[in-house]
Each structure stands twice: as C-alpha cells, then as structure tokens.
Amino acid sequence: TAPGIITTNGHFASVGDAAHDPKAYEHGVQVIDGDKEFNSNLSRYLTLEDVTNAGFNYHLISVFGSQSTGKSTLLNKLFGTQFSVMADRERRQTTKGIWLSKNKVIHEDPKSRMADNILVMDVEGTDGRERGENQDFERKSALFALATSEVLIVNIWEHQVGLYQGANMGLLKTVFEVNLQLFLKDKNTTPRSLLFFVIRDFMGSTPLKNLEDTLLEDLSRIWASLSKPEGLEHSTIHDYFDFAFYGLPHKGYKPEEFSAEVKKLGTRFREGRKGRKEQVLGESNDGGVFLPEYHRRIPADGFAHYAEGIWDQIINNKDLDLPTQQELLAQFRCDEIARGVVVAFDEAIIPFEDKQAEGIRAGAPLVLGGLGPAMRSARMKTLKNFETEASRYHKGVYKLKKAELEGKIDTRLKALFHGQLNAAHKAGVKEFSEAVSNAVKAGQKKGASYDFAEIVKQETKAAIERFEKEARATLVEGAPWSNYKQELHLYQKDLAEVSGQLRRDEMRRLATRVERWVRSRLSDSVGLEFNSLGSGRGGSGAPETGDKPAENQIWDRIWNLFVETVLDAERRFTDRATSFDASVDEVDVGLWRLRRKSWVALREKVEEEMMEGNLLLKLRENFEDKFRYDEAGVPRIWRPTDDIEGIYTRARESTLTLIPLLSRFRLADNNSPPPLDRWVGHTPSSVTAADEEDLTPIGGVDEEEGKSLEEEVTILNDAKRQDLTVRFKKAADGVYVEAKRSAIGGITQ
Ligand code: GDP
Ligand code: MG
C-alpha cells in the first residue's frame, strides 16, 4: 500500500488512509510522497481547510535547505503547523517528499495579522553528504516549488554563509537554472519570486548586512556562471528574484529570543504593497512579503489539478511549459465549473422542458406560466456563476468555454422560447376565432345588424395584445435570440387568414340570407303573374283592357321583375359586404353567385307553377274566363241562339296559344330567350372551386356543361306540350258540353 511516515506524535498518515479521515490531515497533506507519487487528496485537503473557494486569495510558501537544519521546526513555530521534526536524540531524516499545510496561526492584532490562506510547503532537504542520488529530487522539487510558490524560504546556518562550495550553493544554482528553464517561454508574464533567506543560529556578531552582501555576491557569481539562453545573457538575478534576509537566534541556547524573533518574522507574512522591487528586511522596513507580482495566478479551486499536472510533467522529465499547463488547467476547470452550473440550470429548466414536450406530444402546446422569469433567472445565474469562478482562468480558454456554455444553454432556452411563442400563437388564433364567432352569434341574437368589420378589428387588436404580452413576458434579456418580431409577423398573418375565412363564412351567411329573400320575393311576384293567367279576358293579342296585362308579355314581365328583384338584392348584398371589409373580388364573386342562384330560384319557381296539374288548372281557368265572360267581363247566360260553338272555338284557340308561349321563356321583343349569359356576367377571376361547388349549371352560361340556352329556357318539352294540349282540349270540351246542355235546358248558371 501507500508509503506512510511516522510522525513525532506517532501518527501514521498514509496517502491511502488520509482520504476520508479529516484527522489524518493533522500534519498537513503529503503532496508528493517518498516515491515521488502525487497525492490526489490535495484537493480534498484544500476543501477541508476552506481554501478551495478563496479564488486568488491564498499564498504559497516553500521552504528549502539542507536536511536537519531546523526547517520543519521553524515552519511549525511560524505557522502553527505540525510538520514532523527530528526528535533531538535521533539523527535521521524526517521530512520525505513534499508536505503542505495551511497556516494555523491566528493573530488577534490586526496590525500583525498574517495574510489569508497561507499554504506552506515543507520540502525534503538534501544531506550534504548524500548529494547525487537526491540531486534529482532536489531539482524536481525546486521546479515544483517555483511553479507554484510566491516565496521561497531558504534555510541556512550562519556559519555556512560564504561557503561558496557548500550544499546550499548547489541548491541555489539548481533553483536559478530551473527558474530560467521555467519562465523562459513566457517572458512577458514572468512571475517574480521572493528568496527569503532565514539565517539560523544567527549570533549577531557579524552584522546581518554583511551576511546579506556576502550571500548576494555569491548568488551573483552563481548566476554569472550559468549558461543563459539567447537574449538573456545580460540578465541578472534581480530580474527574477527579490531578496529578503532574516537572522534567527539559536533555538536551543536562546529559546526566548528565538521565540520572539520567530513571532516578529511571522508578521511579515502578509500582503505587501505593489511595486516594491526589493524586500529588505530590517527594523525600518515592515512591508509584507506577498507582493501581487509573486502570485502564480492559479485560482484556489484549480490549484490541486494544476499542481498534479505540473508534477506529472516534472516527473516524466517533460519540458515544463507553464502557459500550456495553465491552458490545460483552464480547460479542465472551465468544463468542471460549467458542469457544476448546468446542474442548477437543469434543476430550474428541465421541468419546463418536460411540460412543454408533454404538451407537444399531446398535440396541444401549452403556454407555460412562469417560464420567462425562470429562464431569465436561470440564464443569468448560470452565466454569472460560471463567470465568477471560471473567469479567473486563462482568458482565451475562459472566453471559449463561456461561449460554449452560452451556446448550450441558449439552444435549450431558445427552444423553450419558441415553443412558448408557438403555443401562444396556436392558443391566440383559436381564441381569436372563437371570440369573433361568439361576437357574431351575440350580434345575430340581438337581431341588430352587428358590425362584423369592427368585431374583427377589435378581436385582432386584443389577440395581438395577448400574444405580445405573453411574448414579452418570455423574453430573456441579453440573449441574442430573444426577440419575437418574426413570430409576431407570422401570428398577424395567421390572424388575417383566419379573419378572411371568418369573413368568407360571414359572406356565405349573408348570401344565404339574400338568396332566401330573392326566393321569397320571386315566389310572390311570379306566383301573381301566373295567377293572372287564370283570368283569360282580353285574349291573346287583344289590346289591354283595364288592369289586365297582355298574356303574350308574361315572360317580359317576369324577367323584368326578376331583374329588378336581383338588382335590389345585389344592392343589399354589396352594402352589407362592404361594411365588413370584404374585398372587391369577394363582393364580385358573391354577386356572381347571387345572380346564378337567383336564376335557378326563378327557374324552380316557374317549374313549380308549370307543374302539370297547376298548368292544366290555369289553362282551364283561362279558357273558362274567355268562354264564360263577354268582352265587357259580364258572365254569359247561354241561350240556344248563341254561337256557343264559335265562342268556344275562339276561347279554346286563344288559350291554346298559351301552351307554346309558356313552353319557353322568351321575351316578346325579339322572340328570343333572355340574355342570361350577359346578365350573369363574366366569371370573376378570383372564383375558387369552393365557390363553384354548390352551383347548378346554367344552359347557355356554362357552355361546357353541354346544355344550350334554348334548353335552359325550355319549360315544357314537346311531349309534355302535346299531352297538355290533349288534356286541356278534353277539359274544354267538357265545359263546352256543359254550356250546350245548359243552353238547351235553359238553365242559367
Ligand atoms: P529539518 O530536517 O530541516 O526539517 O530539521 P528539523 O526541524 O527536523 O530539526 C532537525 C534538528 O535540528 C532537530 O533536532 C531540532 O531540534 C534541531 N533544531 C531545530 N531548530 C534549531 C535551531 O534553531 N538551531 C539548532 N542548532 N538546532 C535546531
Ligand atoms: Mg523537516
């Protein structure tokens, strides 16, 4: 299993066991273990220590130095950590790999308060004697520390200062080399680091200033000895590092002074003012060590992942390319953050999506209440939450991922938005159609002539208002797709279409009413004309006497009153139709239909009058009138001397002329059928199949129907005429015989 480490307290904190027990983190977390394995529990540790959500508000310090120089002891004292320290009596290395712990010191005094969320890394030191094998790890840990830390504490005995060949100088040479390697690629954003020399067992006999000078001289010499990449030949250590120095008295010999100095040193670990090029520690300078420019700008919630990626590159001896690592981290974290915010988005939006889908499946799209506010809030929160966390990462990646997330949620919101508009559209059209129908019905019930055009106008206005209200309520500010112009346009078009249909229905109703009126008028007036045949006085061709109309002009009279009646009807139709905004075309079609239907009505009326029994009765009446009354209209009393036969023959012949006259609808003027074709007029170009569906073909008008005008105006065919003639003659004969008998018998009538 995972390697563990025995701590001074006897705790055993293995990498594996540490996973779930917060107590296992008492000594911090072993980021890199003795086998150079990265501990994936780092992220858990940061969360337990409340660092994860700190954004950039955290700091990283690493401590370097030879083995057993009191590094862990110092850190524990400075930061209240519990890194393992070597028990005084044993002489063996304690710190293995790299440990990390959060600062536990809380200062009450705001003036000496340390910065928030200081993370301290205790790095395994090298024993001067066993350099070589350990040199590889030293280099790797230096890379790791530089890629993450703002401040590098270099722990050094005072008596080692100036020992240019010492282990410390080897370490520093490694740090410099690694630094050049690390930040070469990214010259513009090269982070600076603070090298903080803590000089242990500082006697005070040599002034600190002298030790500083010696150290800086040695460092410059090391720097000069490095082979630098092209373009950096003239760079100095000061281009990359700031330096600070602090002397600490012997812990064993001067414990009180040691404690006091450590406490004082601790107050330096706070935010520093920006722009300070050099951190020189001294009584006169109490500036904080954490300058913004030192920060590696890895958001706290991405630190564990970043550190793991860095270590992976280091351990595999790959060229550590920080910008690339930051981009990879940004991609990883932005995706993670996006997934996180989408969970809340889903929670708010899926119920609406489900409901909408349900409505569509059922074929009845639903207008969803509360959709607008839910979408607005979900979109706003999702993007805002994403922005808050993700914008700390690589800007380019962040922007891409934000667009990606926006695209993803907008696709769904857009679908919801359009579904809502669609539902509002469907419901609105239905509601509109019903409202107009109801208003028409109410108008009809009241009997008053309701204003159809006004009803349509008002209901259209109301329907558009309802739609716009719903659409406006569903708008999502900031979303590029959030407008309903096109949908409104389509909606208005549909309303107009429905209005047109309703208007056509209304026209049909009107046409039916007017047709009924024509039919009833014709029934009266044509009936009267036929009835007048019953009084046959005046006889055929005789000049009119009194109010007796000429029989041979019956068709002219019928035609004239027909034409007048239809004209009257046309006026009624046109007036009403224009009042509800019917188009010229619609009116034209209506009039054309009205004329045709009126003609058919007339023909039917004529046919009804000319039904065999009816006609025979009329002929008989006509005959009797002529036979039984004299020219003055006085009833005849037959005497035997009367020329009964002559009168009978004249009357009979006169009535018989009616049969061919009535057989055909002809105008007396030129003895030709009425000009039906001209009278009906051209078929309007806007006539539809539906308009023609219920029309009866008219001979001479609808040529293609194969019926001629002559046929159209023929009321009685030859066979019927003949039959009628025979039957009439029989009836007349009966009357004659009866008259004869009465004359002989002297019986008056
Ligand atoms: P590390 O290996 O650098 O982490 O060193 P440790 O903190 O484990 O300490 C190693 C030994 O040095 C222990 O025996 C400590 O008691 C001792 N030590 C700690 N601080 C000081 C100090 O300030 N001066 C001296 N001379 N010894 C110290
Ligand atoms: Mg140690």
Side-chain angles (χ1 to χ4, degrees):
T1 55
I5 178 158
I6 307 283
T7 70
T8 41
N9 302 338
H11 285 283
F12 185 83
S14 85
V15 169
D17 292 347
H20 301 292
D21 178 11
K23 268 204 159 175
Y25 298 109
E26 237 173 301
H27 306 278
V29 62
Q30 193 179 19
V31 183
I32 310 294
D33 69 14
D35 288 341
K36 300 177 188 169
E37 289 287 332
F38 189 87
N39 184 350
S40 56
N41 286 322
L42 172 58
S43 136
R44 189 188 311 271
Y45 176 75
L46 294 180
T47 300
L48 277 172
E49 294 287 0
D50 261 346
V51 179
T52 304
N53 295 316
F56 294 122
N57 188 26
Y58 74 98
H59 300 282
L60 253 149
I61 298 172
S62 292
V63 69
F64 277 95
S66 307
Q67 213 186 98
S68 301
T69 48
K71 297 188 297 296
S72 299
T73 306
L74 170 64
L75 294 180
N76 290 346
K77 194 105 179 143
L78 256 179
F79 300 110
T81 53
Q82 291 188 41
F83 294 121
S84 329
V85 296
M86 185 197 284
D88 279 334
R89 262 165 259 274
E90 302 169 42
R91 294 300 298 178
R92 61 182 179 88
Q93 187 186 344
T94 46
T95 304
K96 281 275 190 190
I98 301 174
W99 282 74
L100 178 144
S101 176
K102 188 181 167 184
N103 173 27
K104 298 289 162 70
V105 173
I106 300 158
H107 287 281
E108 297 302 323
D109 177 11
K111 264 189 230 151
S112 54
R113 189 175 289 160
M114 292 166 123
D116 296 335
N117 303 311
I118 298 174
L119 301 174
V120 189
M121 292 211 283
D122 190 5
V123 182
E124 175 185 325
T126 9
D127 188 337
R129 287 165 300 189
E130 45 179 278
R131 276 181 62 85
E133 203 253 293
N134 249 1
Q135 220 165 357
D136 178 58
F137 184 75
E138 185 179 272
R139 193 176 184 83
K140 286 182 161 61
S141 53
L143 259 172
F144 185 70
L146 270 170
T148 54
S149 309
E150 297 150 70
V151 177
L152 270 60
I153 294 178
V154 181
N155 198 54
I156 186 169
W157 299 124
E158 182 183 353
H159 61 78
Q160 285 184 318
V161 174
L163 296 180
Y164 180 63
Q165 299 302 333
N168 287 307
M169 292 300 130
L171 167 71
L172 286 165
K173 189 174 179 203
T174 303
V175 167
F176 290 161
E177 280 170 353
V178 154
N179 190 76
L180 270 177
Q181 173 194 337
L182 250 189
F183 301 117
L184 182 66
K185 290 212 164 102
D186 193 18
K187 189 128 205 310
N188 291 335
T189 58
T190 300
R192 298 175 67 79
S193 314
L194 177 68
L195 284 185
F196 200 148
F197 286 89
V198 176
I199 297 158
R200 306 295 291 271
D201 292 357
F202 174 58
M203 311 283 277
S205 44
T206 312
L208 188 63
K209 186 77 185 64
N210 293 3
L211 298 175
E212 282 174 34
D213 290 345
T214 309
L215 277 168
L216 280 174
E217 256 171 52
D218 287 350
L219 294 174
S220 295
R221 267 202 284 162
I222 295 169
W223 184 262
S225 75
L226 294 180
S227 63
K228 287 173 253 350
E230 232 182 274
L232 297 178
E233 296 89 348
H234 303 296
S235 60
T236 72
I237 39 172
H238 300 286
D239 293 336
Y240 298 94
F241 295 99
D242 288 334
F243 296 93
F245 304 89
Y246 205 92
L248 278 183
H250 197 294
K251 180 182 170 261
Y253 299 162
K254 301 181 168 177
E256 277 106 54
E257 283 166 53
F258 177 80
S259 285
E261 282 302 320
V262 167
K263 204 169 174 192
K264 219 162 109 195
L265 174 60
T267 66
R268 313 304 301 243
F269 291 90
R270 52 191 165 84
E271 311 280 349
R273 270 167 286 127
K274 209 182 158 159
R276 290 166 49 83
K277 274 280 173 195
E278 227 168 7
Q279 292 273 319
V280 180
L281 284 176
E283 298 309 312
S284 60
N285 182 359
D286 60 352
V289 296
F290 297 122
L291 295 192
E293 61 195 288
Y294 299 153
H295 205 289
R296 298 301 187 249
R297 308 302 294 170
I298 304 300
D301 56 0
F303 179 76
H305 187 79
Y306 175 75
E308 187 169 3
I310 294 286
W311 185 251
D312 182 68
Q313 297 282 303
I314 292 172
I315 210 68
N316 290 306
N317 290 315
K318 292 197 185 129
D319 252 355
L320 193 51
D321 175 358
L322 293 187
T324 302
Q325 286 301 312
Q326 285 179 8
E327 256 179 65
L328 288 173
L329 171 71
Q331 278 166 15
F332 174 83
R333 277 299 296 152
C334 284
D335 283 344
E336 238 178 25
I337 294 163
R339 273 198 296 280
V341 298
V342 164
V343 168
F345 177 83
D346 278 346
E347 231 160 74
I349 292 305
I350 283 180
F352 288 99
E353 289 174 326
D354 285 351
K355 235 189 244 168
Q356 196 174 74
E358 211 175 279
I360 290 167
R361 260 199 309 280
L366 290 165
V367 177
L368 305 175
L371 176 64
M375 291 205 294
R376 286 192 286 278
S377 124
R379 186 177 194 273
M380 201 262 285
K381 278 188 199 155
T382 304
L383 296 180
K384 184 99 207 105
N385 289 346
F386 180 79
E387 186 189 316
T388 304
E389 292 188 53
S391 66
R392 297 185 186 120
Y393 290 91
H394 185 276
K395 285 287 165 285
V397 173
Y398 159 68
K399 273 183 193 149
L400 267 169
K401 295 288 177 185
K402 190 185 173 197
E404 213 172 84
L405 173 69
E406 223 173 274
K408 245 183 231 163
I409 63 168
D410 272 353
T411 303
R412 290 169 61 183
L413 293 179
K414 196 176 160 187
L416 272 174
F417 179 67
H418 286 297
Q420 182 85 335
L421 291 186
N422 190 39
H425 179 119
K426 290 235 162 81
V429 168
K430 187 160 171 265
E431 224 172 303
F432 167 75
S433 169
E434 281 166 4
V436 172
S437 298
N438 287 340
V440 165
K441 258 179 228 152
Q444 282 169 339
K445 221 173 247 171
K446 270 193 277 172
S449 70
Y450 53 93
D451 191 338
F452 181 80
E454 187 58 27
I455 290 173
V456 167
K457 204 173 121 193
Q458 275 177 11
E459 291 304 334
T460 304
K461 193 169 159 249
I464 287 172
E465 272 167 14
R466 278 197 301 272
F467 180 84
E468 284 211 87
K469 194 175 159 223
E470 205 61 70
R472 262 198 309 275
T474 318
L475 285 177
V476 180
E477 302 101 57
W481 43 266
S482 179
N483 78 81
Y484 55 87
K485 231 168 144 182
Q486 211 178 334
E487 285 76 10
L488 179 63
H489 183 71
L490 278 175
Y491 182 66
Q492 284 168 321
K493 229 174 94 183
D494 263 15
L495 287 183
E497 216 160 87
V498 171
S499 306
Q501 188 50 53
L502 290 170
R503 194 176 56 239
R504 280 190 290 281
D505 293 348
E506 183 66 10
M507 292 270 286
R508 278 291 162 89
R509 278 195 290 274
L510 169 64
T512 308
R513 278 203 305 278
V514 174
E515 278 159 31
R516 222 182 286 134
W517 181 82
V518 167
R519 205 172 271 275
S520 133
R521 282 289 293 267
L522 288 178
S523 178
D524 290 350
S525 53
V526 174
L528 272 176
E529 278 304 324
F530 276 96
N531 284 344
S532 75
L533 285 176
S535 69
R537 280 163 298 153
S540 165
E544 276 187 44
T545 52
D547 58 352
K548 174 72 188 76
E551 282 169 354
N552 63 351
Q553 298 205 348
I554 185 170
W555 290 123
D556 291 78
R557 285 192 303 278
I558 290 177
W559 177 253
N560 285 339
L561 62 90
F562 168 70
V563 167
E564 255 163 54
T565 303
V566 176
L567 210 60
D568 200 351
E570 287 189 29
R571 264 194 300 273
R572 286 160 184 259
F573 182 85
T574 310
D575 281 358
R576 189 87 180 96
T578 4
S579 87
F580 50 71
D581 281 351
S583 68
V584 174
D585 280 349
E586 283 170 330
V587 173
D588 274 354
V589 171
L591 293 177
W592 176 77
R593 278 173 53 86
L594 175 63
R595 284 194 292 273
R596 297 188 52 124
K597 292 207 147 194
S598 298
W599 167 255
V600 172
L602 175 64
R603 243 204 85 124
E604 277 167 15
K605 178 59 190 169
V606 168
E607 269 163 12
E608 181 198 317
E609 291 290 341
M610 304 269 281
M611 265 159 50
E612 224 166 61
N614 288 350
L615 191 52
L616 192 61
L617 202 68
K618 296 248 164 58
L619 291 175
R620 194 183 153 147
E621 278 172 7
N622 182 274
F623 162 75
E624 283 189 20
D625 209 39
K626 285 168 178 164
F627 181 59
R628 284 188 176 148
Y629 295 83
D630 64 13
E631 272 80 27
V634 181
R636 287 192 169 100
I637 298 169
W638 299 111
R639 282 172 298 253
T641 52
D642 284 343
D643 179 15
I644 299 178
E645 202 173 322
I647 296 172
Y648 157 71
T649 309
R650 275 198 303 280
R652 192 189 65 180
E653 289 313 306
S654 170
T655 297
L656 273 174
T657 59
L658 288 180
I659 293 179
L661 175 77
L662 292 177
S663 297
R664 282 201 196 92
F665 199 129
R666 278 175 188 282
L667 301 179
D669 240 8
N670 44 8
N671 194 32
S672 54
L676 273 190
D677 190 19
R678 201 165 25 137
W679 179 78
V680 168
H682 288 299
T683 309
S685 52
S686 54
V687 160
T688 64
D691 290 325
E692 288 186 298
E693 206 172 45
D694 60 340
L695 293 179
T696 313
I698 300 174
V701 175
D702 304 310
E703 312 274 344
E704 67 279 9
E705 298 290 333
K707 196 173 159 198
S708 67
L709 180 58
E710 202 52 53
E711 283 168 296
E712 180 70 30
V713 298
T714 298
I715 316 295
L716 295 176
N717 59 27
D718 288 351
K720 275 197 180 143
R721 268 163 68 176
Q722 233 147 34
D723 182 52
L724 194 63
T725 307
V726 170
R727 289 170 64 173
F728 164 68
K729 277 181 176 166
K730 262 185 204 157
D733 287 353
V735 174
Y736 168 73
V737 171
E738 197 187 317
K740 200 80 177 172
R741 243 187 234 135
S742 81
I744 293 163
I747 300 158
T748 56
Q749 283 189 304

